[in-house]
Amino acid sequence: MPANPKGEFTCSEADRNSLLTRPKTLLYLLRKSYALIYLLITSSEPVSEALLPIYNQLKTLRKCLREVQKAGGVSSARELWPYSMKLTSIDNMRVDGKFMVGNEIPDGQAAVTQLVEDCFELAYQLRYQAEENEKDDADGEKLETDERIEMTA
């Protein structure tokens, strides 16, 4: 859709009624896109190089926990042990709630803390689900045992 020397967009007669070929609509969409990009850039907090290894480990851990959750969870809470150990070891790196590197507090604390909280929440949900499944299995086995006893009596 070329512009003529006056700076106006030109189009064929068939496209003239199309909503996307109108200059005001295009201008609106461009401004909206720029506004969204600006919002994303300003809302993203950079993570310093010092925290990047921890940040990447937490992202990987969260991804693994989500995959376990998508796959139907775990059959027992013991299967979460490796994830819990890794999460606890990362959480123990905090000093007074902050990840410290030497005596400095690096940038990106909010992003890393949010990932830690997400991982703890996912691990808790998986553990709760596993305990509920174990309890349901135990109740089901007890009912089956009671039914066998009644049948033999």
Side-chain angles (χ1 to χ4, degrees):
M1 188 169 33
N4 64 18
K6 295 180 183 177
E8 297 172 351
F9 291 102
T10 59
C11 59
S12 67
E13 189 64 36
D15 291 337
R16 194 168 303 246
N17 294 327
S18 173
L19 181 64
L20 292 178
T21 58
R22 296 186 182 156
K24 289 181 181 177
T25 305
L26 287 175
L27 185 60
Y28 168 78
L29 291 173
L30 282 172
R31 286 184 178 164
K32 189 74 171 170
S33 298
Y34 285 134
L36 289 172
I37 291 169
Y38 179 78
L39 177 69
L40 289 172
I41 289 172
T42 58
S43 68
S44 66
E45 180 186 354
V47 177
S48 71
E49 279 189 46
L51 284 181
L52 212 49
I54 296 169
Y55 182 77
N56 289 335
Q57 288 176 23
L58 286 167
K59 281 179 65 173
T60 303
L61 184 60
R62 182 178 65 178
K63 183 180 176 183
C64 290
L65 289 169
R66 284 184 176 164
E67 290 297 321
V68 168
Q69 195 173 38
K70 283 181 188 176
V74 293
S75 58
S76 72
R78 288 182 181 211
E79 292 178 33
L80 291 172
W81 184 79
Y83 303 110
S84 296
M85 289 300 295
K86 183 63 179 173
L87 188 55
T88 302
S89 71
I90 292 173
D91 191 45
N92 288 338
M93 292 179 185
R94 290 201 264 189
V95 177
D96 295 328
K98 300 174 195 86
F99 289 95
M100 305 284 286
V101 175
N103 291 330
E104 296 181 13
I105 301 172
D107 291 336
Q109 295 287 321
V112 175
T113 301
Q114 182 64 44
L115 276 174
V116 169
E117 291 173 5
D118 288 349
C119 289
F120 271 118
E121 180 66 26
L122 286 168
Y124 174 77
Q125 289 172 358
L126 288 166
R127 187 176 303 113
Y128 180 78
Q129 182 183 7
E131 289 171 356
E132 286 295 313
N133 291 343
E134 288 175 354
K135 190 167 80 170
D136 290 345
D137 290 346
D139 290 344
E141 288 176 11
K142 183 179 178 188
L143 287 174
E144 288 177 10
T145 306
D146 291 344
E147 288 173 1
R148 282 190 219 138
I149 292 173
E150 288 177 5
M151 294 178 95
T152 57

